Amino acid sequence: MNQNAEYSAVNDAVRGQFLRRTWAMITPYWRSEEKGRAWLLLAALIGLSLFSVAISVWINHWYKDFYNALEKKDTAAFWQLIGYFGAIAAVAILGAVYRLYLTQMLTIRWRAWLTEKHFARWLADKNYYQLEQGGYTDNPDQRISEDLNNFTSNTLGLGLGLLRNIVSLVSFSIILWGVSGSIEVFGFTIPGYMFWCALVYAGIGSWITHLIGRRLIGLSNQQQRFEADLRFSMVRVRENAESIALYNGVPNENQRLSARFGKVWRNFWDIMKVSKRLTFFTAGYEQIAIIFPFIVAAPRYFAGKIELGELMQINSAFGNVQGNFSWFISAYADLASWRATSDRLLSFHQAMSENEQRAPAIDVRPEGERLVVNDLGMDLADGRHLLTDADMTVEPGQRVMLSGRSGSGKSTLLRAMGHLWPAGHGSIRLPAARYLFLPQKPYLPIGTLKAALSYPQADSVYPPERYAQVLETCRLPHLVGRLDEANHWQRMLSPGEQQRLAFARALLFAPQWLYMDEATSAMDEEDEATLYQALIDELPGLSIVSVGHRSSLKRFHGRHVRIEGGRLQEQLVS
């Protein structure tokens, strides 16, 4: 599935049920083992949000008294109200600081919980591998790191902002209704007319804002994807710097990176165009909102029905009511970003769910003491058959070499044994014993050399002297003094050194069954012979299933099986 198809499918699936699916993504944290502290923090934030509304109401009443004191030139009242405002401001600052602090605390705790859950699900059942192979979703690293961060912060920010606006709307609507009076229009008396003016003004503004800015949701979604693709391409250059340099591939890579950035550029220009039109309207809307209440309330003031303080109170109350009604307008860009982030997380969840629900075509499970391949067929994504009706049994202690032409399915057979090949039929019964896979390109995690050697176990599992022993055995004596050095070993070591390090890892791990996929392809024959002999000598009774091309490997295997014409064929041992 390509990326455009993914987003089209996601949009079709999510449309009409977006809020339900997003709610299902929000609620687990609030029912989790952390729910006690989460609800306590949320209650404190709601309390502080309501307190901020109370401060706004407090200041609204202060406006009336303050401007009346100015109109009457009452010096004593003026200075008294200035001191009164200082007390209000001090309390407001304290509330704002702790509202921000507790919001950040709840955000990071929620993000940490979601991140751990996503890590566990992404890594479980080899989801991380299948999603990459199938192309079901782009940049899962960005979705877990950046999108989860944006999702938690925006959800809390928008949710608390909406709550604050609703409470503020109710509070100031009551004030505005009380102070605005009524007006005669075509013989009809309209009570609380300033309230209705604010409602109509904000309603029209919200409708126009949505018409202008609705494209921002899709554009924001694409911008996040294009930015992530660009970052990934640059990481690829860093990871393959030596090969690119030797190929003199700079012009090609420059062209690729420029093409990636071109998508970022063009999409950002589209965002700029929409944002410009939206800002033209919202800026004008906000400027008109400053004078609109004065225009509407001025007739009553000039008629002497209200004083200057009441006019300013009406202006303040109208501004708050209109602003609360206009929350959709002011929050539109954040809502668009939140919707785009949620869509990406929902598509990620959907891809993982589909992968989890997909029943494995090849039945692979640990059982018994032998390796048994029964009626195995393996297919490529385009439907071509690699292997047909294959049967093979490997007894404990046997060493089997798999050979065949390139592309015949040797490595794919090992992937199937490792639960990594989805297409095909039949069954594989792996021995229920300690095993290890050695791929052609070893994985060396960034960290100490000791941690790279002991992977996938912790570096504290083995005694320090054992690390030195296996390095010496595997012809890596120059690395003994660097066991505690942290580095990017996959870049530091040559391919041959990496493969020798993988053999050292196997000697440390001491498996009963070892599956190797051209694990000596980067070594010379002398190193290859030394390392195979070390396995045989130090791990007596070790069972080996090994994929290889070199004839020099045959003497280390008592049994040879060749894949020819889609079938497993036993070969005579010479």
Side-chain angles (χ1 to χ4, degrees):
M1 182 188 298
N2 61 39
Q3 292 174 347
N4 291 332
E6 175 201 352
Y7 280 95
S8 176
V10 169
N11 287 336
D12 291 342
V14 170
R15 190 176 292 116
Q17 52 179 326
F18 169 75
L19 290 178
R20 179 181 64 80
R21 296 184 62 199
T22 305
W23 182 253
M25 191 164 55
I26 291 172
T27 52
Y29 175 66
W30 306 95
R31 298 195 298 262
S32 71
E33 66 282 359
E34 290 202 13
K35 63 182 178 182
R37 183 170 295 186
W39 281 106
L40 182 63
L41 284 171
L42 183 61
L45 283 172
I46 291 173
L48 287 171
S49 296
L50 298 182
F51 180 70
S52 70
V53 175
I55 292 291
S56 298
V57 173
W58 200 358
I59 291 176
N60 179 264
H61 288 294
W62 177 86
Y63 268 120
K64 176 183 176 181
D65 297 333
F66 182 73
Y67 281 100
N68 280 338
L70 286 176
E71 186 178 32
K72 295 173 183 178
K73 298 181 173 58
D74 187 339
T75 305
F78 171 82
W79 287 111
Q80 182 182 5
L81 287 165
I82 289 294
Y84 188 38
F85 179 81
I88 297 174
V91 174
I93 290 169
L94 189 65
V97 168
Y98 276 95
R99 188 171 73 247
L100 174 63
Y101 178 74
L102 293 180
T103 299
Q104 292 175 333
M105 182 186 295
L106 182 54
T107 300
I108 193 61
R109 294 187 69 86
W110 189 9
R111 180 190 174 188
W113 187 88
L114 279 174
T115 299
E116 289 298 326
K117 297 301 179 185
H118 279 73
F119 278 160
R121 189 177 179 190
W122 181 49
L123 295 172
D125 300 321
K126 298 185 171 60
N127 261 335
Y128 59 93
Y129 177 84
Q130 300 296 350
L131 293 179
E132 288 293 323
Q133 298 303 309
Y136 300 108
T137 187
D138 66 275
N139 303 299
D141 53 315
Q142 184 213 24
R143 303 197 189 207
I144 293 176
S145 61
E146 187 176 324
D147 288 347
L148 281 180
N149 180 33
N150 293 337
F151 177 75
T152 51
S153 58
N154 287 344
T155 300
L156 277 177
L158 291 169
L160 291 171
L162 179 59
L163 174 65
R164 193 160 52 245
N165 271 270
I166 291 173
V167 175
S168 178
L169 175 62
V170 173
S171 302
F172 282 100
S173 293
I174 295 172
I175 295 173
L176 184 60
W177 188 280
V179 299
S180 63
S182 58
I183 191 172
E184 294 282 339
V185 178
F186 301 117
F188 294 97
T189 300
I190 303 176
Y193 77 100
M194 293 291 290
F195 170 82
W196 299 111
C197 288
L199 176 61
V200 171
Y201 185 78
I204 294 173
S206 298
W207 177 64
I208 296 175
T209 297
H210 179 62
L211 289 181
I212 296 172
R214 58 188 171 184
R215 284 189 63 212
L216 279 177
I217 295 173
L219 290 172
S220 297
N221 199 326
Q222 288 190 121
Q223 190 69 16
Q224 291 178 17
R225 177 160 58 95
F226 292 152
E227 293 280 6
D229 288 344
L230 176 62
R231 286 196 300 272
F232 180 73
S233 296
M234 289 190 288
V235 170
R236 288 279 295 160
V237 172
R238 289 175 55 198
E239 288 178 342
N240 299 278
E242 181 178 328
S243 298
I244 292 170
L246 292 173
Y247 276 119
N248 291 321
V250 170
N252 189 290
E253 293 303 322
N254 193 12
Q255 184 179 12
R256 289 172 183 272
L257 292 175
S258 296
R260 291 284 192 188
F261 183 72
K263 293 182 179 180
V264 173
W265 168 275
R266 288 188 293 273
N267 195 76
F268 191 74
W269 268 103
D270 289 339
I271 290 176
M272 287 172 57
K273 293 173 186 175
V274 176
S275 298
K276 182 180 73 173
R277 292 194 293 269
L278 186 62
T279 305
F280 263 125
F281 174 74
T282 55
Y285 175 89
E286 290 169 359
Q287 293 301 314
I288 294 172
I290 295 173
I291 61 168
F292 186 76
F294 287 112
I295 294 172
V296 179
R300 294 187 69 224
Y301 174 71
F302 291 124
K305 294 181 180 180
I306 55 175
E307 296 179 337
L308 177 62
E310 290 173 302
L311 177 64
M312 298 308 296
Q313 186 183 24
I314 288 173
N315 176 65
S316 174
F318 181 92
N320 277 279
V321 171
Q322 174 268 326
N324 294 325
F325 273 134
S326 304
W327 177 81
F328 178 76
I329 296 173
S330 59
Y332 195 88
D334 290 336
L335 284 168
S337 176
W338 177 77
R339 173 62 190 263
T341 297
S342 299
D343 278 343
R344 286 178 58 77
L345 287 173
L346 287 173
S347 70
F348 185 41
H349 282 211
Q350 182 178 337
M352 287 196 293
S353 295
E354 289 175 356
N355 188 60
E356 290 161 354
Q357 294 166 8
R358 190 179 294 110
I362 301 173
D363 181 17
V364 183
R365 69 181 75 169
E367 184 179 284
E369 298 180 350
R370 302 183 300 170
L371 170 64
V372 180
V373 176
N374 182 43
D375 191 30
L376 180 65
M378 296 189 306
D379 304 326
L380 294 173
D382 58 9
R384 287 184 295 132
H385 301 300
L386 277 178
L387 206 59
T388 305
D389 302 328
D391 295 287
M392 181 175 68
T393 300
V394 180
E395 299 291 341
Q398 283 190 326
R399 298 194 297 272
V400 180
M401 177 178 170
L402 290 172
S403 61
R405 289 193 299 272
S406 179
S408 60
K410 305 181 300 299
S411 297
T412 305
L413 177 56
L414 256 65
R415 292 191 187 102
M417 293 177 184
H419 303 263
L420 298 182
W421 196 256
H425 63 82
S427 67
I428 300 175
R429 295 294 175 263
L430 297 172
R434 186 178 176 88
Y435 70 90
L436 185 68
F437 279 83
L438 293 190
Q440 183 176 10
K441 185 177 180 181
Y443 170 65
L444 306 179
I446 298 174
T448 65
L449 182 60
K450 190 183 294 184
L453 264 173
S454 62
Y455 187 85
Q457 301 188 101
D459 60 7
S460 58
V461 172
Y462 309 104
E465 60 273 12
R466 182 60 179 151
Y467 289 100
Q469 289 173 1
V470 296
L471 287 177
E472 293 279 359
T473 301
C474 295
R475 294 192 166 192
L476 295 168
H478 55 287
L479 296 179
V480 172
R482 304 175 70 180
L483 281 166
D484 293 316
E485 178 185 330
N487 218 318
H488 194 325
W489 297 105
Q490 211 146 341
R491 290 183 183 173
M492 294 289 295
L493 303 179
S494 69
E497 286 176 317
Q498 292 179 40
Q499 288 188 344
R500 278 180 275 161
L501 198 69
F503 270 77
R505 181 184 291 165
L507 291 176
L508 276 176
F509 191 75
Q512 295 169 276
W513 286 76
L514 187 61
Y515 305 91
M516 295 192 288
D517 182 13
E518 300 193 50
T520 60
S521 58
M523 300 183 201
D524 58 44
E525 291 189 5
E526 183 180 346
D527 281 342
E528 178 183 78
T530 299
L531 267 61
Y532 260 94
Q533 194 61 52
L535 288 176
I536 295 169
D537 293 341
E538 295 201 19
L539 302 176
L542 174 66
S543 307
I544 296 177
V545 177
S546 176
V547 170
H549 285 288
R550 293 178 179 171
S551 58
S552 58
L553 286 174
K554 291 184 177 180
R555 65 190 177 100
F556 298 105
H557 300 82
R559 182 178 169 193
H560 303 158
V561 177
R562 183 174 177 81
I563 299 180
E564 193 71 48
R567 297 187 180 278
L568 293 177
Q569 299 179 0
E570 291 282 345
Q571 304 290 298
L572 293 176
V573 179
S574 56

